[in-house]
Amino acid sequence: MTLAARLSAIDERIAEAARRFGRDPGEITRIVVTKFHTARLVRDLHALGVRELGENRQQELTAKRESLADVQDIRWHFIGQAQTNKAAAIRRASDVVHSVDRVRLADALHRAADDDRVLDVLVQVNLTDDAGRGGTSTAEAEALAEHVLGLDTLRLRGVMAVAPLDEDPSSAFARLRAVADRIRLLAPEATWISAGMTNDFVQAVEAGATHLRIGSAITGPRPDRG
């Protein structure tokens, strides 16, 4: 399949899932994850109408954004785990950071502000019992959200999570939806739920996801990195 055909096929599956669960497909944002792919592919995606792009690594995001400086209407989503010592570089390269999972990172992104731009962020929630995985616990998510709300260079948009590999995504995303609902009591404008990838986006749509992160099903296999 061509890039255009893969993109069209995924968009149709998203629309079908939305209709199945009584949702408007127009309220769901599809983010194309382009990690390990070239800036040339991003240009090809842009020509097909893609405007929401995701990257997992700061260095790759920074390099792509710089090489695509002439393309002004892309919104770059940083979706990977973030180190506090890279907060300034992440902030410069990102329009949205999905992976704010601790107070220290929120503070580092806040301190890195060097202009009057407000950075959109999401609280990443760990849906497993493994404390070593990225994300704050479901019990601590509201406290982190409250902290973010006190930082005037950050705008809390909602929550993000990755479904555990050893659990039905439907039950995992239901827990995320419960966290999202509690956070919306603190911040009614924090309506985003970033959840769902190639293998589980249908269940994410069912749970109310507003942003889906789709990679190789659209971009094709990762290129040989040598």
Side-chain angles (χ1 to χ4, degrees):
M1 294 176 71
T2 65
L3 180 64
R6 291 193 299 268
L7 180 67
S8 178
I10 286 292
D11 284 348
E12 180 51 39
R13 288 178 61 196
I14 293 170
E16 179 185 350
R19 291 190 293 266
R20 186 191 315 170
F21 300 117
R23 298 186 58 194
D24 176 2
E27 69 184 18
I28 299 172
T29 299
R30 176 255 298 126
I31 301 167
V32 181
V33 181
T34 55
K35 64 181 179 182
F36 304 136
H37 288 276
T38 65
R40 175 69 262 173
L41 180 76
V42 175
R43 289 188 183 277
D44 292 342
L45 287 164
H46 185 268
L48 293 170
V50 173
R51 297 296 181 268
E52 310 279 345
L53 277 297
E55 286 290 335
N56 289 65
R57 302 188 305 166
Q58 174 267 313
Q59 297 94 325
E60 190 171 357
L61 172 57
T62 296
K64 280 180 184 163
R65 185 152 195 167
E66 289 176 353
S67 67
L68 295 159
D70 58 307
V71 183
Q72 299 296 318
D73 57 347
I74 289 176
R75 180 154 58 173
W76 289 101
H77 299 254
F78 181 79
I79 61 176
Q81 293 308 115
Q83 297 172 277
T84 54
N85 64 352
K86 294 183 178 180
I90 290 169
R91 180 168 186 129
R92 284 193 299 271
S94 306
D95 299 297
V96 187
V97 175
H98 288 232
S99 48
V100 175
D101 61 357
R102 58 199 185 278
V103 165
R104 286 185 60 224
L105 177 58
D107 288 345
L109 290 168
H110 172 64
R111 289 193 302 270
D114 57 5
D115 55 29
D116 59 0
R117 181 173 69 98
V118 176
L119 178 67
D120 288 337
V121 301
L122 294 93
V123 167
Q124 182 177 359
V125 180
N126 182 357
L127 297 176
T128 77
D129 295 325
D130 180 0
R133 291 197 54 172
T136 188
S137 69
T138 56
E140 296 174 345
E142 290 164 89
L144 178 55
E146 282 193 283
H147 186 83
V148 171
L149 289 169
L151 303 175
D152 61 4
T153 71
L154 306 181
R155 179 187 295 113
L156 180 64
R157 285 295 199 177
V159 297
M160 182 273 262
V162 177
L165 294 176
D166 58 353
E167 181 184 355
D168 178 359
S170 294
S171 60
F173 290 144
R175 293 200 305 281
L176 180 65
R177 175 60 184 266
V179 173
D181 289 346
R182 294 199 301 270
I183 287 177
R184 276 200 291 269
L185 295 176
L186 301 172
E189 69 280 5
T191 59
W192 294 12
I193 300 176
S194 171
M197 298 184 287
T198 298
N199 294 325
D200 57 20
F201 72 79
V202 172
Q203 294 93 328
V205 170
E206 181 180 15
T210 62
H211 291 68
L212 310 175
R213 310 180 303 271
I214 311 294
S216 59
I218 293 173
T219 61
R222 295 176 183 176
D224 183 2
R225 300 169 63 202

